[in-house]
Structures are given as C-alpha cells and as structure tokens.
Amino acid sequence: EQIAAGRADAGRDDPCRLVVFAFFSVANSEAKAKIDVRRLFATYLHLSAGMTPLFAPEGITEELENLGMEGPAGVDAGLHRNWMDDLAVIGDPESCAERIQGLRDAGADSVILFPMPNERAEEIVARAARDVLPQLT
C-alpha cells in the first residue's frame, strides 16, 4: 500500500517488482525453528537498527535501539515473538507456507529465503522443497 501510494504521488504507472528477502527456518515445530534462528535474528536486528528504515513500518525502531544498547544479547532478551513472525519466515512447514503466501498476497513478486542457521542450510532447503513449496498456490 505504501509503495502504491508513493508511486501514485510520483505519477508512476510503469511496472514495479517487489522482491522480499527473509530469514528462513523450517523445522518439525515452530518452537524448534525459532530456537534455531533466534540468536542470529537478534544479531541481525541489532546490527541493522538505526541503519535501515525497514523497521519503521513495524513501529519497533526506538525499542530496538534501546534493547541494542546491551548488544545482541539485549535484543535477544527483549525479542518480541511477533517480530520473528512479522519480519521472517520461521516455523513448521504449514506456517512457513502461510507466511510466504501472505507475502505474495501482499504484493511480493518474489520471496527470497535465506536458510538459517547456516549449519542446517542444506536440510532447510530440502525441507522447503519437499514440505513447504508444494503448499503454495
């Protein structure tokens, strides 16, 4: 909606592609997937706070900066569950498929997934191909 409004204000009607990049972790349970990627996700948020406007629409910039005063551990300690839900694709196969479909329904032409943690990347990619992607319409 924000992109459409900005394009309308600029008088643009040419084609526009929207590509979404997201941390991705899939496991048998949502809890396991979130545990596996939590520390990396908190570190990313800490390193990105104040350097990107990506968090402004979520309304978390100020809180993230305050948590970040304690370093990545501070962000990890104060990490809200909905931040992972809203800013990444993390969970069991069904919830990951729902999240990817939600991004596509919101206008994403492409959803690029970064498998995390790295030591499980091959397993995560195989699991996505087998259990997540076939659920997408």
Side-chain angles (χ1 to χ4, degrees):
E1 292 170 351
Q2 292 176 351
I3 292 171
R7 290 175 54 77
D9 287 348
R12 306 258 324 250
D13 62 358
D14 54 314
C16 175
R17 291 187 42 86
L18 177 61
V19 179
V20 174
F21 296 85
F23 271 41
F24 175 59
S25 183
V26 61
N28 288 337
S29 73
E30 187 169 332
K32 166 77 169 127
K34 287 184 176 182
I35 288 167
D36 285 352
V37 76
R38 183 182 176 105
R39 185 175 305 162
L40 290 168
F41 187 73
T43 299
Y44 167 75
L45 292 178
H46 171 69
L47 294 173
S48 300
M51 297 176 58
T52 177
L54 296 176
F55 307 124
E58 292 292 320
I60 66 171
T61 303
E62 185 176 341
E63 184 174 3
L64 189 55
E65 289 173 352
N66 290 335
L67 291 171
M69 294 178 80
E70 301 290 325
V75 175
D76 189 15
L79 189 67
H80 294 260
R81 174 191 164 104
N82 65 305
W83 293 358
M84 293 180 93
D85 294 340
D86 293 347
L87 298 171
V89 176
I90 302 171
D92 58 43
E94 292 75 25
S95 63
C96 286
E98 288 173 12
R99 178 69 177 126
I100 295 166
Q101 190 62 53
L103 292 168
R104 293 174 64 201
D105 291 346
D109 296 296
S110 298
V111 179
I112 298 175
L113 304 171
F114 292 96
M116 297 287 179
N118 186 48
E119 58 270 11
R120 286 188 49 234
E122 188 174 327
E123 170 199 340
I124 291 169
V125 170
R127 184 84 190 260
R130 184 183 70 237
D131 299 333
V132 178
L133 298 181
Q135 296 184 56
L136 300 175
T137 58

